[in-house]
Amino acid sequence: MVFLKKGPQCNQPEEEAARIRQAQYENIARLVKAGKMLVTGPFDNEEDLRGIYIMDCKDSLEAVELVNTDPAVRAGRLVFEVKPWLTEKNSVFK
């Protein structure tokens, strides 16, 4: 599970912020198609905790590698924290 938090660089002009969001959506779609992104979404608030990713990765290192491809992370709009999260076999997730 990845917790997305407000990053230090959230002051881009709106046009640039919109471009980063669009690139982020495209990256998420790529990860979904690859079977790596299982659940994603923002929180409906203006707090520092902005959203989550639930990913299917072999380990935390793979999760970090994939989250670092996020354009919002690369631009500094978001920072993240990875928490290994285990589910029961044959539950909703793999």
Side-chain angles (χ1 to χ4, degrees):
M1 181 175 292
V2 179
F3 293 95
L4 301 167
K5 301 174 183 180
K6 183 178 179 181
Q9 301 296 324
C10 291
N11 56 351
Q12 292 94 351
E14 182 52 38
E15 185 175 302
E16 177 69 9
R19 186 192 65 72
I20 293 168
R21 280 191 301 273
Q22 181 59 40
Q24 181 184 35
Y25 300 147
E26 291 168 5
N27 190 62
I28 289 169
R30 178 183 66 81
L31 293 172
V32 167
K33 186 175 181 179
K36 294 296 180 179
M37 184 77 69
L38 303 177
V39 175
T40 180
F43 293 114
D44 188 19
N45 64 50
E46 293 298 319
E47 298 172 10
D48 284 343
L49 188 57
R50 306 311 296 246
I52 63 166
Y53 292 158
I54 298 177
M55 305 179 82
D56 184 10
C57 298
K58 63 184 175 195
D59 55 31
S60 294
L61 295 175
E62 181 184 16
V64 167
E65 180 181 297
L66 293 174
V67 176
N68 276 323
T69 67
D70 185 320
V73 169
R74 290 195 327 255
R77 290 185 65 78
L78 295 174
V79 294
F80 65 93
E81 180 179 355
V82 175
K83 294 284 189 183
W85 182 54
L86 308 173
T87 59
E88 290 295 322
K89 188 173 181 157
N90 298 319
S91 68
V92 175
F93 303 111
K94 293 181 184 177

